[in-house]
Amino acid sequence: MIARRLFATNGWFTLLLLVSGLLAVEIALHVKAQIKNGRGLFPTTEETRESAKDPETGLNIFSPNSTIKSLGTTIVSNAYGLRSPQISTKPQHGEYRIAVMGASTVAGAYTPRNEQLFSYRLADMLKRRKPGRRIGVINAGIPGYSVSSMRTMLERRVLALHPQLVLLYSGFNDIASFCQAASTRSRRNLSLPYIGLPSKLLLPEIVKKNTVDMRISSEISGSLPAKPFRIPPAALAAYRAEIEAMARQARRAGADFAIVSSLTAHRAGMPLEQQQDLSKSALYYYGKCLDHQSLNATLAAMNSVQRSVAREYGIPYIDLTRSVAGGRANFVDSTHLTVAGEEAVAEALTPHVIAQMD
Amino acid sequence: MSVTSPAFFIFSALVCLALFALGRRDALKKLLLVAVSLYFYATFDVRFVFVLLSLALISFAAGRLVTTAPDARARKRRLLVCIAVSLLPLFTFKYMPVIIEGSGTNPLGLDGLLGALILPIGISFYTFQAISYPLDLYRGTLKHTASFLDLVCYLTFFPKLLLGPITRAGQFLPQLERPLRIADSAAATSGLWLIFQGLIKKLVFADVLAEQFVEPAFSDPTDNGTLFLVIAIFAYSFQMYFDLAGYTDIVRGVSRLMGFELPINFNRPYLAASISNFWQRWHITMSSFFRDYLYFSIGGSKYGNVYLNLIITFVAIGIWHGAGWTFVVYGLLHGSLVGWERFRREARKRHGLPTEPTGARLVLSILITFTIVSWARLLFRAETLGDAGIYLRSLGNVSDLSVPVSDIGVALLILSALMHFTPPAWAEQLRGRIAAWPSAFQATLAGIGVFLCLALPTTSAGFIYAQF
């Protein structure tokens, strides 16, 4: 009977087939994610939930004291829900404690083991260069953080752990808020809620991720659409204000503060095609409001703000763009580091941190 | 809840299921439709529901007053008063804030109050539908008044609530008097095909053309070269068509699944050989509404000055779209062109010359009409007459011949032109062939359509006509 229906023409049956097909594909994708990354609909007994809410800050953190398998990584979190060694409340006698603030790049979204993170490698390199000196590095990076979240984390959690040096690697999550600020302001509607599809559907995400080339191909046209975008001044001012606030908070707490330039896989000077290829994942996230050109302009504006704050507050601005090369060797995608990239960042930071220690 | 969102289709599917489950209980079905339609409208803003229900009450009362009038003069008087009262909400929400802001005065201290008003989405559309009820009773198109439930069901019917099509009472109320049944298998097939083509029109064609051509060109025309600006004007014409036609197809398809037929809104408008013909093919429900209820009422071609009547009608069409000078000029322009065409046609008739072009002249007429229609749309897209002027002045940048679009943009623009300028019979034949495919093949094609709708657009633009 089903075979007969398949070859009959019935609109309702067509609809049923379509919905069933899409559902089947979605379930298959979730099963594949479960098998490949350990992340899916059904967590195993060895895993715990990935994230929790920090009662002190109200922000998302990793589940404290957990081992989390995600995207081919094993994240071991400490009591504070950070991908970091266990930290005593106060530094040990003679310990030089460093805190690295950031988001998914600092947290090592694609770095298999904690020990391969640049924060851990930095600690190792510093210990080698300063034998006999206790070195502690707090990795306070949590995926998804904006500078506002980083400020809250610094203010309410990290400074209470008495670091002597705070390194800010802010990343680019704030681009999302720039795009949102630039879009049409929504009216204050009093609307009723309605049922939609779950936000964690894999099918739209995977289709979008794997079809970036379709949207940005310019083989025939020879050019790409221009997406004129200017960061709304108020949004850029808010971004600056958060970084300034972190600098002031660190200073008040008696800690040195340094800003580290956020790195991208694509660099000026690379062939345009290579740049576009390397910035694909960024364009996947921000392609709604940015094209490649405006993405570069936005990144430059953010780094420019960081430089300006560093100048104004007399704090070091550590530019890693010359010492850490772009490209696939050091980057998994537009912004996240490979193991080699983590090593390169740690090596590049070491002399600057030693300068601060001395 | 946008009509291109998964939430809308889940919602519509649940409504179809509920209608099916209610069997032959038509009164309950109507109550259900009213309830879900009001809920649908409340997902935009709960306050809008009160505006809609107020209009329903006014319309219902208007129908009673018109049909119980003692004589013809009283009927006409009551009709005009009811129409004026029905237009009050539209005037208050849409035009009064603009008029007061433009005057620079603040009568009765209303400035603050009016500034807080939010234009109820769809008010331009359902106000006309509310007016059509007493009008159709007055003209005899409707033989008897409808029950309050039927009238509210007609006015609130959610697929057509936001952007039409402007369905007249005489077209919809008779469907409520028949047994209400959801679509059979054949109607479901054609309904699904309408939804499918509507989504492709909106999400693939309209949104990509908007993102790649129209937004960059109009956001800063001085930054672009002549060639790109010229192409963007035509791209905007295609975007406008795919935007509203896509919406119309989706809601007609959803309505058909529920067992209701909504009127068509487009008939290959860019194949029109004259501006007059264009308005017989473009946004048909809106243009025919103005023709039947305004143009004929003020005399049409029979009483008074036909050219003045045309200008009045087209200026009204312009103002319906928006409260701005660009829309007034748009209306004047089209009214003048239609008037000129009429004059020329009459003159050729008097001299025994053919009034309709054929052969190569027909092709040329089509291209000229499309060009005029597209360039007149500059008044639609520009915020002010000044902005339109800036766009025109930017056309002088002839040294820049770049066309900054991706391959998808180029492909879709070419496809848009091909779809518009190929014989209508080809589309019908294709539709007929696909409708005869087995369900499995249709579902596969629909799956490919879903893939394209997910893959190609970068941004999801709102509907152009939602601002009207």
Side-chain angles (χ1 to χ4, degrees), chain B residues 370-406:
Chain B
F370 178 58
T371 304
I372 293 172
V373 162
S374 297
W375 282 94
R377 288 241 167 80
L378 186 55
L379 294 163
F380 238 71
R381 185 63 174 77
E383 301 260 345
T384 62
L385 292 173
D387 288 344
I390 291 171
Y391 196 99
L392 290 171
R393 281 197 293 278
S394 302
L395 292 170
N397 188 8
V398 291
S399 57
D400 182 355
L401 293 176
S402 66
V403 180
V405 295
S406 70

mmCIF file of all heavy atoms in Angstrom, chain B residues 370-406:
data_model
loop_
_atom_site.group_PDB
_atom_site.id
_atom_site.type_symbol
_atom_site.label_atom_id
_atom_site.label_comp_id
_atom_site.label_asym_id
_atom_site.label_seq_id
_atom_site.Cartn_x
_atom_site.Cartn_y
_atom_site.Cartn_z
ATOM 1 N N PHE B 370 8.160 47.926 -19.314
ATOM 2 C CA PHE B 370 8.942 47.399 -18.189
ATOM 3 C C PHE B 370 9.951 48.436 -17.715
ATOM 4 O O PHE B 370 10.164 48.621 -16.508
ATOM 5 C CB PHE B 370 9.631 46.098 -18.605
ATOM 6 C CG PHE B 370 10.501 45.503 -17.532
ATOM 7 C CD1 PHE B 370 9.993 45.170 -16.296
ATOM 8 C CD2 PHE B 370 11.858 45.281 -17.767
ATOM 9 C CE1 PHE B 370 10.796 44.629 -15.302
ATOM 10 C CE2 PHE B 370 12.670 44.734 -16.784
ATOM 11 C CZ PHE B 370 12.140 44.407 -15.556
ATOM 12 N N THR B 371 10.560 49.129 -18.660
ATOM 13 C CA THR B 371 11.556 50.147 -18.300
ATOM 14 C C THR B 371 10.905 51.299 -17.542
ATOM 15 O O THR B 371 11.419 51.759 -16.522
ATOM 16 C CB THR B 371 12.250 50.667 -19.572
ATOM 17 O OG1 THR B 371 12.818 49.556 -20.267
ATOM 18 C CG2 THR B 371 13.345 51.661 -19.235
ATOM 19 N N ILE B 372 9.768 51.758 -18.042
ATOM 20 C CA ILE B 372 9.079 52.874 -17.363
ATOM 21 C C ILE B 372 8.655 52.456 -15.956
ATOM 22 O O ILE B 372 8.860 53.189 -14.981
ATOM 23 C CB ILE B 372 7.853 53.326 -18.174
ATOM 24 C CG1 ILE B 372 8.286 53.966 -19.490
ATOM 25 C CG2 ILE B 372 6.995 54.314 -17.372
ATOM 26 C CD1 ILE B 372 7.136 54.265 -20.444
ATOM 27 N N VAL B 373 8.047 51.280 -15.863
ATOM 28 C CA VAL B 373 7.587 50.783 -14.553
ATOM 29 C C VAL B 373 8.763 50.683 -13.585
ATOM 30 O O VAL B 373 8.671 51.069 -12.415
ATOM 31 C CB VAL B 373 6.898 49.417 -14.720
ATOM 32 C CG1 VAL B 373 6.803 48.685 -13.394
ATOM 33 C CG2 VAL B 373 5.509 49.590 -15.314
ATOM 34 N N SER B 374 9.886 50.180 -14.068
ATOM 35 C CA SER B 374 11.053 49.981 -13.186
ATOM 36 C C SER B 374 11.599 51.311 -12.710
ATOM 37 O O SER B 374 11.898 51.477 -11.524
ATOM 38 C CB SER B 374 12.141 49.200 -13.929
ATOM 39 O OG SER B 374 11.676 47.910 -14.276
ATOM 40 N N TRP B 375 11.747 52.264 -13.607
ATOM 41 C CA TRP B 375 12.314 53.553 -13.215
ATOM 42 C C TRP B 375 11.355 54.336 -12.321
ATOM 43 O O TRP B 375 11.785 55.059 -11.422
ATOM 44 C CB TRP B 375 12.728 54.362 -14.448
ATOM 45 C CG TRP B 375 14.027 53.844 -14.979
ATOM 46 C CD1 TRP B 375 14.195 52.924 -15.968
ATOM 47 C CD2 TRP B 375 15.332 54.161 -14.502
ATOM 48 N NE1 TRP B 375 15.523 52.641 -16.143
ATOM 49 C CE2 TRP B 375 16.249 53.380 -15.264
ATOM 50 C CE3 TRP B 375 15.825 55.012 -13.519
ATOM 51 C CZ2 TRP B 375 17.626 53.440 -15.068
ATOM 52 C CZ3 TRP B 375 17.193 55.073 -13.322
ATOM 53 C CH2 TRP B 375 18.081 54.298 -14.091
ATOM 54 N N ALA B 376 10.056 54.170 -12.549
ATOM 55 C CA ALA B 376 9.101 54.836 -11.651
ATOM 56 C C ALA B 376 9.210 54.279 -10.232
ATOM 57 O O ALA B 376 8.891 54.962 -9.259
ATOM 58 C CB ALA B 376 7.676 54.652 -12.178
ATOM 59 N N ARG B 377 9.690 53.047 -10.130
ATOM 60 C CA ARG B 377 9.834 52.422 -8.807
ATOM 61 C C ARG B 377 10.903 53.107 -7.957
ATOM 62 O O ARG B 377 10.969 52.874 -6.747
ATOM 63 C CB ARG B 377 10.175 50.936 -8.944
ATOM 64 C CG ARG B 377 9.032 50.100 -9.423
ATOM 65 C CD ARG B 377 8.643 49.046 -8.402
ATOM 66 N NE ARG B 377 7.369 48.461 -8.719
ATOM 67 C CZ ARG B 377 7.194 47.510 -9.622
ATOM 68 N NH1 ARG B 377 8.221 47.041 -10.301
ATOM 69 N NH2 ARG B 377 5.993 47.040 -9.855
ATOM 70 N N LEU B 378 11.705 53.908 -8.596
ATOM 71 C CA LEU B 378 12.683 54.676 -7.820
ATOM 72 C C LEU B 378 11.964 55.495 -6.753
ATOM 73 O O LEU B 378 12.459 55.653 -5.627
ATOM 74 C CB LEU B 378 13.439 55.596 -8.795
ATOM 75 C CG LEU B 378 14.603 56.396 -8.266
ATOM 76 C CD1 LEU B 378 15.624 55.501 -7.599
ATOM 77 C CD2 LEU B 378 15.266 57.155 -9.411
ATOM 78 N N LEU B 379 10.768 55.971 -7.098
ATOM 79 C CA LEU B 379 9.982 56.756 -6.146
ATOM 80 C C LEU B 379 9.477 55.879 -5.000
ATOM 81 O O LEU B 379 9.212 56.355 -3.905
ATOM 82 C CB LEU B 379 8.790 57.403 -6.863
ATOM 83 C CG LEU B 379 9.184 58.442 -7.890
ATOM 84 C CD1 LEU B 379 8.019 58.738 -8.830
ATOM 85 C CD2 LEU B 379 9.622 59.730 -7.200
ATOM 86 N N PHE B 380 9.331 54.616 -5.283
ATOM 87 C CA PHE B 380 8.894 53.676 -4.258
ATOM 88 C C PHE B 380 9.998 53.422 -3.259
ATOM 89 O O PHE B 380 9.787 53.386 -2.056
ATOM 90 C CB PHE B 380 8.568 52.339 -4.938
ATOM 91 C CG PHE B 380 7.174 51.874 -4.706
ATOM 92 C CD1 PHE B 380 6.117 52.523 -5.315
ATOM 93 C CD2 PHE B 380 6.910 50.788 -3.901
ATOM 94 C CE1 PHE B 380 4.830 52.101 -5.121
ATOM 95 C CE2 PHE B 380 5.617 50.362 -3.699
ATOM 96 C CZ PHE B 380 4.572 51.012 -4.308
ATOM 97 N N ARG B 381 11.180 53.203 -3.779
ATOM 98 C CA ARG B 381 12.287 52.738 -2.941
ATOM 99 C C ARG B 381 12.950 53.872 -2.180
ATOM 100 O O ARG B 381 13.403 53.700 -1.042
ATOM 101 C CB ARG B 381 13.311 52.012 -3.822
ATOM 102 C CG ARG B 381 14.456 51.383 -3.066
ATOM 103 C CD ARG B 381 13.970 50.298 -2.120
ATOM 104 N NE ARG B 381 15.056 49.581 -1.486
ATOM 105 C CZ ARG B 381 15.798 50.033 -0.477
ATOM 106 N NH1 ARG B 381 15.580 51.235 -0.003
ATOM 107 N NH2 ARG B 381 16.770 49.311 0.029
ATOM 108 N N ALA B 382 13.034 55.035 -2.844
ATOM 109 C CA ALA B 382 13.689 56.166 -2.185
ATOM 110 C C ALA B 382 12.820 56.664 -1.040
ATOM 111 O O ALA B 382 11.596 56.669 -1.134
ATOM 112 C CB ALA B 382 13.923 57.283 -3.194
ATOM 113 N N GLU B 383 13.488 57.092 0.051
ATOM 114 C CA GLU B 383 12.724 57.571 1.210
ATOM 115 C C GLU B 383 12.074 58.918 0.912
ATOM 116 O O GLU B 383 10.974 59.196 1.372
ATOM 117 C CB GLU B 383 13.676 57.731 2.405
ATOM 118 C CG GLU B 383 14.388 56.465 2.816
ATOM 119 C CD GLU B 383 13.720 55.814 4.020
ATOM 120 O OE1 GLU B 383 12.921 56.483 4.677
ATOM 121 O OE2 GLU B 383 14.001 54.644 4.269
ATOM 122 N N THR B 384 12.790 59.749 0.172
ATOM 123 C CA THR B 384 12.279 61.093 -0.130
ATOM 124 C C THR B 384 12.560 61.410 -1.589
ATOM 125 O O THR B 384 13.338 60.707 -2.249
ATOM 126 C CB THR B 384 12.989 62.159 0.729
ATOM 127 O OG1 THR B 384 14.387 62.139 0.387
ATOM 128 C CG2 THR B 384 12.828 61.893 2.221
ATOM 129 N N LEU B 385 11.957 62.480 -2.076
ATOM 130 C CA LEU B 385 12.230 62.919 -3.445
ATOM 131 C C LEU B 385 13.713 63.276 -3.587
ATOM 132 O O LEU B 385 14.322 63.058 -4.632
ATOM 133 C CB LEU B 385 11.350 64.119 -3.807
ATOM 134 C CG LEU B 385 9.855 63.809 -3.932
ATOM 135 C CD1 LEU B 385 9.060 65.105 -4.131
ATOM 136 C CD2 LEU B 385 9.589 62.870 -5.109
ATOM 137 N N GLY B 386 14.279 63.812 -2.518
ATOM 138 C CA GLY B 386 15.700 64.150 -2.541
ATOM 139 C C GLY B 386 16.574 62.917 -2.747
ATOM 140 O O GLY B 386 17.541 62.935 -3.514
ATOM 141 N N ASP B 387 16.231 61.834 -2.061
ATOM 142 C CA ASP B 387 16.999 60.593 -2.223
ATOM 143 C C ASP B 387 16.892 60.062 -3.648
ATOM 144 O O ASP B 387 17.857 59.544 -4.204
ATOM 145 C CB ASP B 387 16.484 59.527 -1.248
ATOM 146 C CG ASP B 387 16.873 59.837 0.184
ATOM 147 O OD1 ASP B 387 17.777 60.678 0.380
ATOM 148 O OD2 ASP B 387 16.261 59.274 1.114
ATOM 149 N N ALA B 388 15.691 60.194 -4.219
ATOM 150 C CA ALA B 388 15.517 59.766 -5.606
ATOM 151 C C ALA B 388 16.418 60.600 -6.520
ATOM 152 O O ALA B 388 17.040 60.085 -7.447
ATOM 153 C CB ALA B 388 14.054 59.899 -6.023
ATOM 154 N N GLY B 389 16.503 61.899 -6.213
ATOM 155 C CA GLY B 389 17.370 62.779 -6.997
ATOM 156 C C GLY B 389 18.834 62.387 -6.881
ATOM 157 O O GLY B 389 19.581 62.394 -7.855
ATOM 158 N N ILE B 390 19.249 62.004 -5.665
ATOM 159 C CA ILE B 390 20.639 61.583 -5.469
ATOM 160 C C ILE B 390 20.938 60.351 -6.304
ATOM 161 O O ILE B 390 22.001 60.232 -6.929
ATOM 162 C CB ILE B 390 20.911 61.290 -3.976
ATOM 163 C CG1 ILE B 390 20.890 62.587 -3.169
ATOM 164 C CG2 ILE B 390 22.242 60.573 -3.782
ATOM 165 C CD1 ILE B 390 20.933 62.382 -1.671
ATOM 166 N N TYR B 391 19.995 59.435 -6.321
ATOM 167 C CA TYR B 391 20.192 58.211 -7.114
ATOM 168 C C TYR B 391 20.368 58.563 -8.586
ATOM 169 O O TYR B 391 21.281 58.059 -9.249
ATOM 170 C CB TYR B 391 18.990 57.273 -6.935
ATOM 171 C CG TYR B 391 19.256 55.851 -7.375
ATOM 172 C CD1 TYR B 391 19.576 54.861 -6.434
ATOM 173 C CD2 TYR B 391 19.193 55.482 -8.711
ATOM 174 C CE1 TYR B 391 19.823 53.557 -6.815
ATOM 175 C CE2 TYR B 391 19.447 54.177 -9.100
ATOM 176 C CZ TYR B 391 19.755 53.215 -8.148
ATOM 177 O OH TYR B 391 20.006 51.914 -8.537
ATOM 178 N N LEU B 392 19.507 59.457 -9.079
ATOM 179 C CA LEU B 392 19.587 59.823 -10.497
ATOM 180 C C LEU B 392 20.906 60.533 -10.800
ATOM 181 O O LEU B 392 21.525 60.288 -11.839
ATOM 182 C CB LEU B 392 18.396 60.705 -10.875
ATOM 183 C CG LEU B 392 17.043 59.992 -10.899
ATOM 184 C CD1 LEU B 392 15.907 61.000 -11.069
ATOM 185 C CD2 LEU B 392 16.986 58.953 -12.014
ATOM 186 N N ARG B 393 21.337 61.402 -9.895
ATOM 187 C CA ARG B 393 22.602 62.117 -10.123
ATOM 188 C C ARG B 393 23.777 61.145 -10.101
ATOM 189 O O ARG B 393 24.751 61.319 -10.820
ATOM 190 C CB ARG B 393 22.795 63.212 -9.079
ATOM 191 C CG ARG B 393 21.994 64.470 -9.352
ATOM 192 C CD ARG B 393 22.524 65.639 -8.539
ATOM 193 N NE ARG B 393 22.312 65.439 -7.109
ATOM 194 C CZ ARG B 393 21.157 65.689 -6.488
ATOM 195 N NH1 ARG B 393 20.105 66.129 -7.157
ATOM 196 N NH2 ARG B 393 21.033 65.487 -5.188
ATOM 197 N N SER B 394 23.669 60.105 -9.286
ATOM 198 C CA SER B 394 24.763 59.133 -9.190
ATOM 199 C C SER B 394 24.925 58.332 -10.465
ATOM 200 O O SER B 394 25.956 57.683 -10.667
ATOM 201 C CB SER B 394 24.519 58.156 -8.025
ATOM 202 O OG SER B 394 24.382 58.862 -6.816
ATOM 203 N N LEU B 395 23.924 58.385 -11.336
ATOM 204 C CA LEU B 395 24.026 57.681 -12.609
ATOM 205 C C LEU B 395 25.126 58.272 -13.482
ATOM 206 O O LEU B 395 25.514 57.674 -14.483
ATOM 207 C CB LEU B 395 22.686 57.725 -13.354
ATOM 208 C CG LEU B 395 21.556 56.925 -12.717
ATOM 209 C CD1 LEU B 395 20.235 57.255 -13.397
ATOM 210 C CD2 LEU B 395 21.829 55.434 -12.821
ATOM 211 N N GLY B 396 25.609 59.435 -13.106
ATOM 212 C CA GLY B 396 26.657 60.073 -13.900
ATOM 213 C C GLY B 396 28.024 59.459 -13.697
ATOM 214 O O GLY B 396 28.980 59.814 -14.378
ATOM 215 N N ASN B 397 28.128 58.486 -12.773
ATOM 216 C CA ASN B 397 29.428 57.891 -12.470
ATOM 217 C C ASN B 397 29.775 56.815 -13.500
ATOM 218 O O ASN B 397 29.860 55.625 -13.196
ATOM 219 C CB ASN B 397 29.378 57.291 -11.047
ATOM 220 C CG ASN B 397 30.734 56.824 -10.571
ATOM 221 O OD1 ASN B 397 31.753 57.070 -11.221
ATOM 222 N ND2 ASN B 397 30.755 56.144 -9.439
ATOM 223 N N VAL B 398 29.938 57.250 -14.753
ATOM 224 C CA VAL B 398 30.086 56.290 -15.860
ATOM 225 C C VAL B 398 31.462 55.641 -15.897
ATOM 226 O O VAL B 398 31.673 54.657 -16.592
ATOM 227 C CB VAL B 398 29.802 56.960 -17.228
ATOM 228 C CG1 VAL B 398 28.341 57.312 -17.344
ATOM 229 C CG2 VAL B 398 30.678 58.172 -17.440
ATOM 230 N N SER B 399 32.420 56.194 -15.144
ATOM 231 C CA SER B 399 33.766 55.609 -15.201
ATOM 232 C C SER B 399 33.809 54.278 -14.450
ATOM 233 O O SER B 399 34.658 53.429 -14.696
ATOM 234 C CB SER B 399 34.776 56.573 -14.588
ATOM 235 O OG SER B 399 34.380 56.876 -13.250
ATOM 236 N N ASP B 400 32.879 54.088 -13.531
ATOM 237 C CA ASP B 400 32.858 52.856 -12.719
ATOM 238 C C ASP B 400 31.872 51.885 -13.352
ATOM 239 O O ASP B 400 30.664 52.089 -13.292
ATOM 240 C CB ASP B 400 32.448 53.192 -11.278
ATOM 241 C CG ASP B 400 32.455 51.959 -10.389
ATOM 242 O OD1 ASP B 400 32.683 50.846 -10.892
ATOM 243 O OD2 ASP B 400 32.219 52.111 -9.174
ATOM 244 N N LEU B 401 32.398 50.843 -13.975
ATOM 245 C CA LEU B 401 31.520 49.868 -14.627
ATOM 246 C C LEU B 401 31.454 48.561 -13.837
ATOM 247 O O LEU B 401 31.072 47.528 -14.368
ATOM 248 C CB LEU B 401 32.022 49.596 -16.059
ATOM 249 C CG LEU B 401 31.919 50.780 -17.012
ATOM 250 C CD1 LEU B 401 32.522 50.439 -18.361
ATOM 251 C CD2 LEU B 401 30.462 51.224 -17.192
ATOM 252 N N SER B 402 31.844 48.615 -12.565
ATOM 253 C CA SER B 402 31.839 47.381 -11.769
ATOM 254 C C SER B 402 30.419 46.998 -11.387
ATOM 255 O O SER B 402 29.537 47.858 -11.243
ATOM 256 C CB SER B 402 32.685 47.570 -10.504
ATOM 257 O OG SER B 402 32.062 48.525 -9.658
ATOM 258 N N VAL B 403 30.228 45.702 -11.266
ATOM 259 C CA VAL B 403 28.939 45.171 -10.808
ATOM 260 C C VAL B 403 29.258 44.203 -9.671
ATOM 261 O O VAL B 403 29.471 43.008 -9.892
ATOM 262 C CB VAL B 403 28.185 44.459 -11.946
ATOM 263 C CG1 VAL B 403 26.853 43.912 -11.446
ATOM 264 C CG2 VAL B 403 27.967 45.398 -13.116
ATOM 265 N N PRO B 404 29.328 44.720 -8.447
ATOM 266 C CA PRO B 404 29.800 43.895 -7.330
ATOM 267 C C PRO B 404 28.725 42.942 -6.814
ATOM 268 O O PRO B 404 28.022 43.222 -5.844
ATOM 269 C CB PRO B 404 30.173 44.930 -6.265
ATOM 270 C CG PRO B 404 29.306 46.098 -6.556
ATOM 271 C CD PRO B 404 29.083 46.109 -8.036
ATOM 272 N N VAL B 405 28.584 41.836 -7.494
ATOM 273 C CA VAL B 405 27.650 40.793 -7.055
ATOM 274 C C VAL B 405 28.358 39.462 -7.197
ATOM 275 O O VAL B 405 29.340 39.338 -7.915
ATOM 276 C CB VAL B 405 26.354 40.781 -7.896
ATOM 277 C CG1 VAL B 405 25.571 42.055 -7.711
ATOM 278 C CG2 VAL B 405 26.644 40.548 -9.358
ATOM 279 N N SER B 406 27.834 38.451 -6.510
ATOM 280 C CA SER B 406 28.420 37.120 -6.625
ATOM 281 C C SER B 406 27.777 36.385 -7.802
ATOM 282 O O SER B 406 26.840 36.880 -8.438
ATOM 283 C CB SER B 406 28.187 36.336 -5.336
ATOM 284 O OG SER B 406 26.812 36.022 -5.220
#
